[in-house]
Amino acid sequence: MQIAQLMTARPQKRARAGQSSQCSIGSHSLGTHRLALIRQTLESGFDMQRSNTQKQFHDSFLNACCRFLFSDDTNAPDFTDIMQANGWDDLRQQVLCMTPRRFGKTTAVSMYVAAIAWHVPSEQAIFSTGRRASSKLLEQVLGLLRKLPGADDRIVKANQEMIWISHPGGKLAKISSYPSCAKTLRGVGGHIIYMEEAAFMDLAVFYEVIVPLLEVRLNGFFLLLTGCSD
């Protein structure tokens, strides 16, 4: 498989479903404000230079989370205007990233998880192949969060399984990282779901944990991340 094919993070254009709304985006839109803050943090908040591929990943992730980011707007968002403003052809709730090893995928995911938690009260669930991979990814997220100003005051809980970030009004952003074990994962969920190295996970995790979430959590956003050999 050609590297150029592997670098394609954004889905191909498809027919756009009809959208209706009652207002246009503007400075009053909480969703627009969230998008701007998240993009700013990804670009310069972590003091890291992103590759073009990582930027594509992040743009696709924001596209997949768009409905969630605008879900707290007072007025119904105009998703047609939002897509035009962000250069998106459509909105998709699932993203599949396939890259060679050492391609920056895990770092890109960690940056995105940290940026979302920092700016949006939310619940994010990360599924990994094992406990070691699970705790390692969460450590990377925590390290990125601590680069942001005021992190020590806002991080209210941090261990090998979860990170909690405080938000105004007593709200929280919760990040949970789980090893791949279907028997112990039933009932878990979140607004954004990540499957790290999904190709190497037990299929039972997908069918017994993820599929029920897709059926019950109609407003869920699922980012499926998998790696492949060189």
Side-chain angles (χ1 to χ4, degrees):
M1 185 177 293
Q2 299 295 322
I3 294 296
Q5 292 176 304
L6 295 173
M7 291 177 64
T8 303
R10 186 172 172 177
Q12 296 179 354
K13 186 174 181 178
R14 67 179 180 185
R16 183 185 302 170
Q19 303 278 356
S20 62
S21 67
Q22 301 173 1
C23 71
S24 60
I25 59 175
S27 59
H28 63 281
S29 168
L30 178 60
T32 301
H33 185 59
R34 286 172 170 176
L35 275 175
L37 290 175
I38 293 168
R39 283 199 166 104
Q40 182 179 3
T41 298
L42 290 170
E43 183 62 30
S44 58
F46 300 125
D47 194 26
M48 297 176 66
Q49 184 69 36
R50 294 182 296 165
S51 68
N52 290 333
T53 302
Q54 289 174 325
K55 291 179 181 179
Q56 287 181 316
F57 287 167
H58 291 154
D59 189 62
S60 294
F61 295 167
L62 287 171
N63 176 292
C65 293
C66 182
R67 296 182 187 278
F68 169 64
L69 295 176
F70 282 83
S71 62
D72 292 326
D73 276 22
T74 303
N75 298 314
D78 187 330
F79 287 110
T80 300
D81 283 356
I82 293 168
M83 288 188 290
Q84 291 177 350
N86 289 277
W88 294 331
D89 297 321
D90 60 4
L91 296 177
R92 299 190 178 194
Q93 291 177 274
Q94 297 87 26
V95 177
L96 171 63
C97 300
M98 181 177 292
T99 72
R101 296 188 182 278
R102 302 291 182 182
F103 218 66
K105 171 175 58 62
T106 300
T107 298
V109 172
S110 299
M111 293 174 70
Y112 186 77
V113 171
I116 287 286
W118 191 252
H119 294 296
V120 185
S122 56
E123 292 188 23
Q124 300 182 83
I126 306 168
F127 297 91
S128 300
T129 52
R131 185 168 297 279
R132 180 180 177 184
S134 171
S135 59
K136 185 176 180 180
L137 193 149
L138 211 59
E139 287 176 5
Q140 188 170 5
V141 172
L142 183 60
L144 291 170
L145 285 168
R146 284 179 169 156
K147 291 184 177 183
L148 300 173
D152 290 339
D153 295 329
R154 292 188 57 191
I155 298 174
V156 297
K157 180 181 290 189
N159 54 43
Q160 292 184 339
E161 297 179 350
M162 64 184 66
I163 300 173
W164 289 9
I165 307 295
S166 65
H167 284 265
K171 297 181 179 180
L172 292 171
K174 299 181 180 181
I175 307 168
S176 301
S177 187
Y178 304 103
S180 177
C181 181
K183 293 182 179 179
T184 60
L185 292 176
R186 293 171 185 170
V188 304
H191 299 105
I192 308 173
I193 308 297
Y194 306 82
M195 292 185 70
E196 176 70 8
E197 300 293 356
F200 302 101
M201 284 189 185
D202 187 346
L203 282 176
V205 174
F206 181 78
Y207 287 113
E208 297 180 22
V209 180
I210 302 301
V211 170
L213 290 175
L214 288 168
E215 294 175 350
V216 176
R217 298 295 297 270
L218 298 179
N219 62 336
F221 300 87
F222 305 85
L223 313 181
L224 308 181
L225 311 173
T226 184
C228 66
S229 301
D230 294 331

